[in-house]
C-alpha cells in the first residue's frame, strides 16, 4: 500500500476533499510518475456537483481520485527507448476495452456499453490528482518541446479539439466545402461559448484559415478579449450582435436553445459539431421548420467526444507553434494556479477564468 495525498470525489454522488488515501501498487507497471500541473474543467466540476450520472468509482472502492488534464513527471521507468526519468509526459484519459474500436487504439470511438473501457478521473479508474501514479508507457505521450513549460497542461483539452477537426474533415467531404481557391480562407466558423475549449477551438480554426468568431450571451472580460485579438479571433455578444452565414458551427455550451438559434444561421452544406454537454440544460421544442432547414441545406450535425493518442501528439505540435508565435498570450490562458488544498475552485469559476490549474509540486 502507498499512503499519499489526493483530491477525491465519490462518483456519481459528488463532493470533493483533499485527503490521505491508501492505494495498492499495481502488479505490473512501466513507470512511476507524479503530477506537476493538473487542469480542471467542466467535467471535474460536474463530478463534484454530482451532476454526471455516467461517472463511477473504481470497482470495490468508495472514492474516485479526480483529475484527467495532467502534466506528469517521470520519477522512475523501466528500460525503454521512448521516455526517461525526468521527462514530462501527458497521460491518456481513456483506456481501451475490448470492442473493435478500442482494439485499434480508437477507444475515443468505443462502441456503446463496453464495460472494460474507463476514463481516468471520470469512469471507474483513478485520476491523476494524487502524489504517486503508476502507468504503462503506451498510455503516455512525451512533451518534447522544453519551451512549452506549464502550457503543456493544455494538451489534454486540446486533444479533444484535434479529434473534432478530424470529424470535420471526414464529414465536410460530402460536398465541396472549400472556396473556389480550394482553401478554407474566409469560411466562417462560429464557436458558442468562450471557455477554455472554445479558445482552443478558435486557435485551431484560425490555423486552418477560418474567419473565427466566439460568441456568448454576455460581454467578455478584458483578459479574454486581449488574447482573442492577438490570435485574430473575433468575439460577439449575440444578444447585441448575431453572426449570420455560418459554415462551421461548434457548440461548447451544451444548451439546445442556443444551438438551434445558431443552427438556423448555418449555410448550405454546413457542418455543426456538438461538443458541449449539459444534462441540466432546459429543453428546446424542435419544430418542422427546424428539421426542414437542416434537410434542405444538407447540414451535417456530428457529436465528438474524447480523442485518440494521435490527437495528443497533434495537440503538442499545435501548442508549440502557438507558443512560438504568441508566448505571452499562451501563458495568459492559464488564469489561475491553485494549491491542492484550494478545493473551492471546483465550485466557483474564478472571474475571467480561461483555465484554472492545480500546481501539484
Ligand atoms: P467551460 O469553460 O465551462 O465553457 C463553457 C462555455 O459555454 C462558457 O464560456 C459558458 O459561458 C458558455 N455558455 C454556457 N451557456 C451558454 C449559452 N447559452 N450561450 C453561449 N455560451 C454559453 O467549459 P470547457 O471549455 O472546459 O468545456 C466546454 C464544454 O465541452 C463542457 O460542456 C464540457 O463538458 C464539454 N467537453 C466535452 C469534451 C468532449 O466531448 C471534452 C471536454 C469538455 P460562461 O460560463 O462564460 O457564461 O470530449
Ligand atoms: C475529457 C474527455 C472525456 C470526457 C468525458 C472530457 O473532459 O477531456 O477525454 O471523454 O470529458 O465526458
Ligand atoms: Zn477536462
Ligand atoms: Zn470499446
Amino acid at each position: 500500500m502507498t499512503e499519499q495525498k489526493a483530491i477525491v470525489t465519490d462518483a456519481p454522488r459528488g463532493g470533493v476533499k483533499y485527503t490521505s488515501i491508501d492505494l495498492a501498487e499495481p502488479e505490473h507497471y512501466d513507470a512511476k510518475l507524479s503530477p506537476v500541473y493538473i487542469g480542471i474543467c467542466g467535467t471535474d466540476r460536474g463530478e463534484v456537483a454530482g451532476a454526471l450520472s455516467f461517472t463511477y468509482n473504481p470497482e470495490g472502492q468508495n472514492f474516485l481520485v479526480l483529475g484527467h488534464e495532467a502534466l506528469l513527471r517521470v520519477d522512475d521507468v523501466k528500460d525503454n527507448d521512448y521516455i526517461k526519468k525526468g521527462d514530462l509526459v501527458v497521460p491518456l484519459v481513456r483506456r481501451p476495452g475490448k470492442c473493435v474500436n478500442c482494439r485499434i487504439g480508437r477507444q475515443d470511438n468505443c462502441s456503446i456499453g463496453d464495460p472494460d473501457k474507463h476514463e481516468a478521473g471520470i469512469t471507474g479508474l483513478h485520476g491523476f490528482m494524487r502524489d504517486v501514479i503508476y502507468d504503462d508507457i503506451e498510455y503516455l505521450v512525451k512533451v518534447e518541446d522544453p519551451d512549452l513549460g506549464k502550457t503543456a497542461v493544455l494538451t489534454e483539452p486540446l486533444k479533444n479539439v484535434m479529434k473534432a477537426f478530424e470529424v470535420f474533415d471526414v464529414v465536410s467531404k460530402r460536398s465541396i466545402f472549400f472556396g473556389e481557391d480550394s482553401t478554407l480562407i474566409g469560411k466562417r466558423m462560429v464557436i458558442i461559448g468562450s471557455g477554455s475549449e472554445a479558445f482552443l477551438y478558435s486557435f485551431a480554426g484560425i490555423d486552418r484559415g477560418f474567419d473565427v468568431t466566439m460568441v456568448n450571451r454576455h460581454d467578455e472580460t478584458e483578459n479574454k478579449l486581449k488574447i482573442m485579438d492577438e490570435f485574430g479571433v473575433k468575439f460577439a455578444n449575440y444578444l447585441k450582435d448575431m453572426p449570420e452565414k455560418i459554415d462551421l458551427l461548434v457548440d461548447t455550451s451544451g444548451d439546445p436553445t442556443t444551438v438551434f438559434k445558431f443552427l438556423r444561421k448555418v449555410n448550405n452544406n454546413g457542418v455543426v459539431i456538438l461538443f458541449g454537454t449539459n444534462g441540466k440544460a432546459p429543453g428546446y421544442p424542435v419544430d418542422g421548420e427546424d428539421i426542414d432547414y437542416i434537410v434542405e441545406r444538407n447540414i451535417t450535425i456530428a457529436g465528438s467526444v474524447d480523442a485518440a493518442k494521435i490527437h495528443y501528439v497533434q495537440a503538442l505540435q499545435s501548442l508549440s507553434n502557438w507558443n512560438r508565435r504568441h508566448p505571452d498570450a499562451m501563458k495568459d490562458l492559464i488564469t489561475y494556479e491553485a494549491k491542492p488544498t484550494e478545493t473551492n475552485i471546483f465550485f466557483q469559476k474564478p472571474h475571467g477564468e480561461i483555465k484554472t490549474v492545480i500546481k501539484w509540486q
Side-chain angles (χ1 to χ4, degrees):
M1 286 287 187
T2 312
E3 196 191 339
Q4 54 179 313
K5 287 284 196 184
I7 298 179
V8 304
T9 188
D10 178 12
R13 275 167 291 277
V16 61
K17 53 185 177 187
Y18 178 60
T19 186
S20 290
I21 58 164
D22 272 326
L23 283 183
E25 189 174 308
E27 274 170 32
H28 166 272
Y29 62 88
D30 296 339
K32 192 174 171 199
L33 311 112
S34 50
V36 185
Y37 284 98
I38 307 198
I40 79 156
C41 74
T43 305
D44 304 281
R45 288 192 172 121
E47 291 178 79
V48 167
L52 300 184
S53 56
F54 64 86
T55 63
Y56 54 96
N57 297 334
E59 206 179 337
Q61 308 234 293
N62 59 4
F63 66 91
L64 171 71
V65 177
L66 284 167
H68 58 276
E69 301 192 0
L71 178 63
L72 309 178
R73 176 166 287 115
V74 179
D75 294 327
D76 200 7
V77 62
K78 75 169 193 191
D79 195 26
N80 76 98
D81 294 332
Y82 182 50
I83 52 172
K84 58 180 188 322
K85 189 175 169 181
D87 281 348
L88 293 179
V89 296
V90 178
L92 268 59
V93 176
R94 197 178 275 205
R95 304 304 170 95
K98 295 191 172 66
C99 80
V100 62
N101 281 301
C102 283
R103 293 201 313 270
I104 61 161
R106 291 306 304 254
Q107 53 267 27
D108 58 314
N109 292 334
C110 178
S111 312
I112 291 170
D114 189 333
D116 298 313
K117 173 217 77 178
H118 299 293
E119 288 186 330
I122 306 173
T123 52
L125 188 67
H126 287 308
F128 306 109
M129 291 181 183
R130 52 184 155 130
D131 292 333
V132 187
I133 294 151
Y134 300 99
D135 216 334
D136 292 335
I137 294 169
E138 65 177 305
Y139 300 125
L140 303 173
V141 179
K142 182 163 56 161
V143 179
E144 307 266 8
D145 178 357
D147 295 338
L148 273 182
K150 66 182 175 187
T151 346
V153 76
L154 298 172
T155 307
E156 194 285 332
L158 180 56
K159 110 286 186 191
N160 299 320
V161 173
M162 297 295 151
K163 188 248 177 103
F165 270 104
E166 178 186 278
V167 173
F168 164 77
D169 287 338
V170 173
V171 302
S172 64
K173 285 197 172 51
R174 60 183 289 201
S175 65
I176 305 292
F177 191 95
F178 293 118
E180 289 189 14
D181 58 359
S182 282
T183 76
L184 291 171
I185 294 171
K187 291 280 169 184
R188 297 202 68 187
M189 173 177 177
V190 168
I191 304 155
I192 304 172
S194 41
S196 56
E197 294 285 358
F199 268 83
L200 298 171
Y201 268 106
S202 75
F203 301 167
I206 291 282
D207 277 357
R208 285 161 180 256
F210 279 105
D211 172 338
V212 182
T213 306
M214 248 190 257
V215 298
N216 209 319
R217 64 223 181 286
H218 52 68
D219 291 338
E220 259 314 348
T221 53
E222 278 304 314
N223 66 313
K224 290 194 184 188
L225 294 175
K226 188 165 167 258
I227 298 173
M228 290 181 210
D229 194 48
E230 174 138 1
F231 275 81
V233 174
K234 297 170 193 150
F235 175 76
N237 173 345
Y238 63 79
L239 299 182
K240 298 182 197 160
D241 174 16
M242 182 71 194
E244 308 276 336
K245 298 189 183 315
I246 302 167
D247 298 298
L248 170 60
L249 176 65
V250 175
D251 177 61
T252 72
S253 76
D255 181 55
T257 309
T258 313
V259 169
F260 272 89
K261 186 199 275 278
F262 280 89
L263 209 153
R264 295 289 294 263
K265 305 288 180 192
V266 173
N267 288 333
N268 285 32
N269 301 324
V271 175
V272 179
I273 301 280
L274 297 184
F275 180 81
T277 49
N278 176 5
K280 293 197 165 156
Y284 167 84
V286 178
D287 66 17
E289 288 288 333
D290 291 322
I291 303 288
D292 287 1
Y293 189 93
I294 296 163
V295 172
E296 293 302 321
R297 287 167 183 74
N298 286 305
I299 290 169
T300 308
I301 304 175
S304 183
V305 70
D306 194 55
K309 193 169 179 180
I310 181 71
H311 303 116
Y312 288 75
V313 174
Q314 291 171 0
L316 278 161
Q317 288 162 353
S318 288
L319 286 174
S320 287
N321 288 338
W322 300 338
N323 195 46
R324 252 193 309 280
R325 299 201 311 263
H326 311 281
D328 293 335
M330 288 303 289
K331 280 188 196 72
D332 289 346
L333 288 175
I334 295 173
T335 41
Y336 187 64
E337 284 186 34
K339 297 189 191 73
T341 46
E342 289 178 70
T343 48
N344 60 318
I345 53 159
F346 288 93
F347 299 103
Q348 275 171 326
K349 264 189 190 180
H351 183 65
E353 173 184 83
I354 302 176
K355 177 58 72 184
T356 294
V357 299
I358 296 176
K359 188 173 190 301
W360 204 269
Q361 26 175 284

